[in-house]
Coordinates of all heavy atoms in Angstrom, one line a residue:
G267 N 98.6 132.3 33.0 CA 99.6 132.0 34.0 C 100.4 130.6 33.7 O 101.3 130.3 34.3
R268 N 99.7 129.8 32.9 CA 100.2 128.6 32.6 C 101.6 128.6 31.9 O 102.6 127.9 32.3 CB 99.3 127.7 31.7 CG 99.9 126.3 31.4 CD 99.0 125.4 30.7 NE 97.9 124.9 31.5 CZ 97.1 124.0 31.2 NH1 97.1 123.5 29.9 NH2 96.1 123.7 32.1
L269 N 101.9 129.5 31.0 CA 103.1 129.6 30.4 C 104.2 130.0 31.2 O 105.3 129.7 31.2 CB 102.9 130.6 29.0 CG 102.0 130.1 27.9 CD1 102.0 131.0 26.8 CD2 102.3 128.8 27.5
E270 N 103.8 131.0 32.2 CA 104.7 131.5 33.3 C 105.1 130.4 34.0 O 106.3 130.3 34.4 CB 104.1 132.5 34.0 CG 103.9 134.0 33.3 CD 102.9 134.1 32.3 OE1 102.1 133.2 32.2 OE2 103.1 135.0 31.5
T271 N 104.2 129.5 34.4 CA 104.6 128.3 35.3 C 105.5 127.4 34.6 O 106.4 126.9 35.1 CB 103.3 127.6 35.7 OG1 102.4 128.7 36.2 CG2 103.5 126.5 36.8
M272 N 105.1 127.2 33.3 CA 106.0 126.3 32.5 C 107.4 126.8 32.4 O 108.4 126.0 32.5 CB 105.4 126.1 31.1 CG 104.3 125.1 31.1 SD 103.2 125.2 29.6 CE 104.3 125.6 28.3
F273 N 107.5 128.1 32.2 CA 108.8 128.6 32.2 C 109.6 128.5 33.5 O 110.9 128.2 33.5 CB 109.0 130.1 31.6 CG 110.2 130.6 31.4 CD1 110.9 130.4 30.2 CD2 110.9 131.4 32.3 CE1 112.2 130.7 29.9 CE2 112.2 131.8 32.0 CZ 112.9 131.4 30.9
R274 N 108.9 128.7 34.6 CA 109.5 128.6 35.9 C 110.0 127.2 36.0 O 111.1 126.9 36.6 CB 108.6 129.0 37.0 CG 108.4 130.3 37.4 CD 108.1 130.6 38.7 NE 107.0 129.8 39.3 CZ 105.7 130.1 39.2 NH1 105.2 131.1 38.4 NH2 104.8 129.3 39.6
A275 N 109.3 126.2 35.4 CA 109.8 124.7 35.5 C 111.2 124.6 34.9 O 111.9 123.7 35.4 CB 108.7 123.9 34.8
I276 N 111.4 125.2 33.9 CA 112.7 125.0 33.2 C 113.8 125.7 34.0 O 115.0 125.3 33.8 CB 112.8 125.2 31.6 CG1 112.5 126.7 31.3 CG2 111.9 124.4 30.8 CD1 112.7 127.1 29.9
C277 N 113.5 126.6 34.9 CA 114.4 127.2 35.6 C 114.6 126.5 37.0 O 115.3 126.9 37.9 CB 114.2 128.6 35.9 SG 113.9 129.6 34.5
N278 N 113.9 125.4 37.2 CA 113.8 124.8 38.5 C 113.7 123.3 38.3 O 112.6 122.6 38.6 CB 112.5 125.3 39.1 CG 112.3 125.0 40.6 OD1 113.3 124.6 41.2 ND2 111.2 125.1 41.1
V279 N 114.8 122.7 37.9 CA 114.9 121.3 37.6 C 115.3 120.4 38.6 O 116.2 120.7 39.4 CB 115.8 121.1 36.3 CG1 116.0 119.6 35.9 CG2 115.4 122.0 35.0
E280 N 114.7 119.3 38.7 CA 115.0 118.4 39.9 C 115.5 117.0 39.2 O 114.6 116.1 38.9 CB 113.7 118.0 40.7 CG 113.2 119.0 41.6 CD 114.0 119.2 42.8 OE1 114.9 118.4 42.9 OE2 113.7 120.1 43.6
P281 N 116.8 116.9 39.0 CA 117.4 115.7 38.5 C 116.9 114.4 39.2 O 116.7 113.4 38.5 CB 118.8 115.9 38.4 CG 119.0 117.4 38.6 CD 117.8 117.9 39.4
S282 N 116.8 114.5 40.5 CA 116.4 113.2 41.2 C 115.0 112.8 40.9 O 114.6 111.7 41.2 CB 116.6 113.5 42.7 OG 115.7 114.5 43.2
H283 N 114.2 113.7 40.3 CA 112.8 113.3 40.0 C 112.5 113.2 38.5 O 111.4 113.5 38.0 CB 111.9 114.3 40.7 CG 111.7 114.1 42.1 ND1 112.9 114.0 43.0 CD2 110.8 113.7 42.9 CE1 112.5 113.9 44.1 NE2 111.2 113.5 44.1
L284 N 113.6 113.0 37.9 CA 113.5 112.6 36.4 C 114.1 111.2 36.2 O 114.1 110.5 37.2 CB 114.3 113.7 35.6 CG 113.6 115.0 35.5 CD1 114.4 116.1 34.8 CD2 112.3 115.0 34.9
A285 N 114.5 110.8 35.1 CA 115.0 109.5 34.9 C 116.3 109.4 34.1 O 116.4 108.5 33.3 CB 113.9 108.6 34.3
D286 N 117.2 110.4 34.2 CA 118.3 110.4 33.5 C 119.5 110.0 34.3 O 119.9 110.7 35.2 CB 118.6 111.8 32.9 CG 119.7 112.0 31.9 OD1 120.6 111.2 32.0 OD2 119.7 113.0 31.1
T287 N 119.9 108.9 34.0 CA 121.0 108.3 34.9 C 122.4 109.0 34.8 O 123.2 108.8 35.5 CB 121.3 106.8 34.7 OG1 121.4 106.7 33.2 CG2 120.0 106.0 35.0
S288 N 122.5 109.8 33.7 CA 123.7 110.7 33.7 C 123.7 111.9 34.6 O 124.7 112.5 34.8 CB 123.9 111.0 32.2 OG 123.2 112.0 31.8
L289 N 122.4 112.3 34.8 CA 122.3 113.4 35.8 C 122.2 113.1 37.3 O 122.4 113.8 38.1 CB 121.0 114.1 35.4 CG 121.0 115.0 34.2 CD1 119.6 115.8 34.0 CD2 122.1 116.1 34.4
Y290 N 121.8 111.9 37.6 CA 121.5 111.5 39.0 C 121.9 110.1 39.1 O 121.6 109.1 38.3 CB 120.0 111.7 39.3 CG 119.8 111.7 40.8 CD1 120.2 112.8 41.6 CD2 119.3 110.6 41.5 CE1 120.0 112.9 42.9 CE2 119.2 110.7 42.8 CZ 119.4 111.7 43.5 OH 119.3 111.8 44.9
D291 N 122.7 109.8 40.2 CA 123.1 108.3 40.5 C 122.0 107.8 41.5 O 121.9 108.2 42.7 CB 124.5 108.5 41.2 CG 125.0 107.1 41.5 OD1 124.1 106.1 41.7 OD2 126.2 106.8 41.7
F292 N 121.1 107.0 40.9 CA 120.0 106.6 41.7 C 120.4 105.6 42.8 O 119.7 105.4 43.8 CB 118.9 106.0 40.9 CG 118.3 107.0 39.9 CD1 118.7 107.5 38.7 CD2 117.1 107.7 40.4 CE1 118.1 108.5 38.0 CE2 116.5 108.7 39.8 CZ 117.0 109.1 38.5
R293 N 121.5 104.9 42.7 CA 122.1 104.1 43.8 C 122.6 104.7 44.9 O 122.2 104.5 45.9 CB 123.0 103.0 43.1 CG 123.3 102.0 44.0 CD 124.2 100.8 43.4 NE 125.4 101.3 42.8 CZ 126.4 100.7 42.3 NH1 126.1 99.4 41.9 NH2 127.4 101.3 41.8
E294 N 123.3 105.9 44.7 CA 124.1 106.5 45.6 C 123.2 107.6 46.2 O 123.5 108.3 47.1 CB 125.4 107.0 45.1 CG 126.4 105.9 44.7 CD 126.9 105.2 45.9 OE1 127.0 105.7 47.0 OE2 127.2 104.0 45.7
G295 N 122.2 108.1 45.4 CA 121.4 109.3 45.7 C 122.2 110.5 45.6 O 122.1 111.4 46.3
K296 N 123.1 110.7 44.5 CA 123.8 111.9 44.3 C 123.5 112.4 42.9 O 123.4 111.7 42.0 CB 125.2 111.4 44.4 CG 125.9 111.5 45.7 CD 127.4 111.4 45.6 CE 127.9 110.3 46.6 NZ 129.1 109.6 46.1
R297 N 123.7 113.7 42.9 CA 123.6 114.3 41.5 C 124.9 114.1 40.7 O 126.0 114.0 41.4 CB 123.6 115.9 41.6 CG 122.2 116.3 42.1 CD 121.9 117.8 41.9 NE 120.7 118.2 42.4 CZ 120.0 119.2 42.1 NH1 120.6 120.1 41.3 NH2 118.9 119.5 42.6
L298 N 124.9 114.0 39.4 CA 126.0 113.8 38.6 C 126.2 115.0 37.7 O 125.3 115.7 37.6 CB 125.9 112.5 37.8 CG 125.7 111.2 38.7 CD1 125.4 110.0 37.8 CD2 126.9 110.9 39.4
G299 N 127.2 115.0 37.0 CA 127.6 116.1 36.1 C 126.7 116.1 34.8 O 126.5 117.1 34.1
G300 N 126.1 115.0 34.4 CA 125.3 114.9 33.2 C 126.1 114.6 31.9 O 127.4 114.6 32.0
K301 N 125.4 114.5 30.9 CA 126.0 114.1 29.6 C 126.8 115.3 29.1 O 126.4 116.4 29.2 CB 125.1 113.7 28.5 CG 124.3 112.4 28.9 CD 123.3 112.3 27.6 CE 122.4 111.1 28.0 NZ 121.2 111.5 28.6
R302 N 128.0 115.1 28.5 CA 128.6 116.3 27.8 C 127.9 116.3 26.3 O 128.0 115.4 25.6 CB 130.0 115.9 27.5 CG 130.8 117.0 27.0 CD 131.0 118.2 28.0 NE 131.6 119.3 27.4 CZ 131.3 120.5 27.6 NH1 130.3 120.8 28.3 NH2 132.0 121.5 27.1
Q303 N 127.1 117.4 26.3 CA 126.4 117.5 25.0 C 127.3 117.9 23.8 O 128.2 118.7 24.0 CB 125.2 118.6 25.1 CG 124.3 118.2 25.9 CD 123.3 117.1 25.5 OE1 123.1 117.1 24.2 NE2 122.7 116.4 26.4
A304 N 127.0 117.5 22.7 CA 127.8 117.7 21.6 C 127.4 119.1 21.1 O 126.6 119.3 20.0 CB 127.6 116.7 20.4
V305 N 127.7 120.2 21.8 CA 127.3 121.6 21.6 C 128.3 122.2 20.7 O 129.5 122.2 21.0 CB 127.2 122.4 22.8 CG1 126.9 123.8 22.5 CG2 126.0 121.8 23.7
N306 N 127.9 122.7 19.5 CA 128.9 123.5 18.7 C 128.3 124.7 18.2 O 127.1 125.0 18.5 CB 129.5 122.5 17.6 CG 128.2 121.9 16.8 OD1 127.3 122.6 16.6 ND2 128.4 120.5 16.5
T307 N 128.9 125.3 17.3 CA 128.3 126.5 16.8 C 127.2 126.2 15.9 O 126.5 127.2 15.4 CB 129.4 127.3 16.1 OG1 130.0 126.4 15.1 CG2 130.3 128.0 16.9
A308 N 126.8 125.0 15.6 CA 125.5 124.7 14.9 C 124.3 124.8 15.7 O 123.2 124.9 15.2 CB 125.6 123.4 14.2
E309 N 124.5 125.0 17.0 CA 123.3 125.2 17.9 C 122.6 126.5 17.6 O 123.3 127.4 17.1 CB 123.9 125.2 19.4 CG 122.8 125.0 20.3 CD 122.0 126.2 20.7 OE1 122.4 127.3 20.3 OE2 121.0 126.1 21.3
P310 N 121.3 126.8 17.7 CA 120.5 125.8 18.3 C 119.9 124.8 17.3 O 119.4 125.1 16.4 CB 119.2 126.6 18.9 CG 119.2 127.8 17.9 CD 120.6 128.1 17.5
E311 N 120.2 123.4 17.6 CA 119.7 122.5 16.6 C 118.3 122.5 16.4 O 117.8 122.3 15.4 CB 120.2 121.1 17.0 CG 119.6 120.5 18.1 CD 120.1 119.2 18.4 OE1 121.3 119.1 18.6 OE2 119.4 118.2 18.5
A312 N 117.5 122.8 17.5 CA 116.1 122.8 17.4 C 115.6 123.7 16.3 O 114.7 123.3 15.6 CB 115.4 123.2 18.8
S313 N 116.2 124.9 16.1 CA 115.8 125.9 15.1 C 116.1 125.3 13.7 O 115.3 125.6 12.8 CB 116.4 127.2 15.3 OG 117.8 127.2 15.0
A314 N 117.2 124.5 13.6 CA 117.4 124.0 12.3 C 116.5 122.8 12.1 O 115.9 122.6 11.1 CB 118.9 123.5 12.3
D315 N 116.3 122.0 13.0 CA 115.6 120.8 12.8 C 114.1 121.1 12.6 O 113.3 120.5 11.9 CB 115.6 119.8 14.0 CG 116.9 119.2 14.2 OD1 117.8 119.3 13.1 OD2 117.3 118.6 15.2
F316 N 113.6 122.1 13.4 CA 112.2 122.3 13.5 C 111.8 123.6 12.6 O 110.8 124.1 12.8 CB 111.7 122.5 14.9 CG 112.0 121.2 15.7 CD1 112.6 121.3 16.9 CD2 111.5 120.0 15.1 CE1 112.9 120.0 17.5 CE2 111.7 118.9 16.0 CZ 112.5 118.9 17.0
G317 N 112.7 124.2 11.9 CA 112.5 125.2 11.0 C 112.4 126.5 11.6 O 113.0 126.8 12.6
R318 N 111.8 127.4 11.0 CA 111.9 128.8 11.1 C 111.4 129.3 12.5 O 110.4 128.9 12.9 CB 111.0 129.6 10.1 CG 111.2 131.0 10.3 CD 110.6 131.7 9.1 NE 109.2 131.9 9.2 CZ 108.5 132.2 8.1 NH1 109.1 132.5 7.0 NH2 107.1 132.4 8.2
L319 N 112.2 130.0 13.2 CA 111.8 130.8 14.2 C 111.4 132.0 13.7 O 112.1 132.7 13.0 CB 112.9 131.0 15.3 CG 113.4 129.8 16.0 CD1 114.6 129.9 16.8 CD2 112.4 129.2 16.9
D320 N 110.2 132.4 13.8 CA 109.7 133.7 13.0 C 110.5 134.8 13.2 O 110.5 135.7 12.5 CB 108.2 133.9 13.4 CG 108.1 134.7 14.8 OD1 108.9 134.2 15.6 OD2 107.3 135.6 14.9

Side-chain angles (χ1 to χ4, degrees):
R268 179 174 284 186
L269 297 184
E270 282 71 19
T271 308
M272 277 164 30
F273 189 78
R274 279 211 311 280
I276 61 172
C277 303
N278 193 14
V279 175
E280 287 283 357
S282 61
H283 284 62
L284 292 171
D286 186 336
T287 53
S288 71
L289 282 182
Y290 198 77
D291 181 338
F292 289 88
R293 192 170 56 186
E294 300 291 331
K296 277 194 222 142
R297 285 189 186 205
L298 301 170
K301 293 184 192 83
R302 185 74 183 136
Q303 295 288 333
V305 174
N306 56 40
T307 48
E309 196 281 344
E311 73 182 51
S313 69
D315 292 344
F316 301 123
R318 179 166 85 189
L319 292 169
D320 74 322

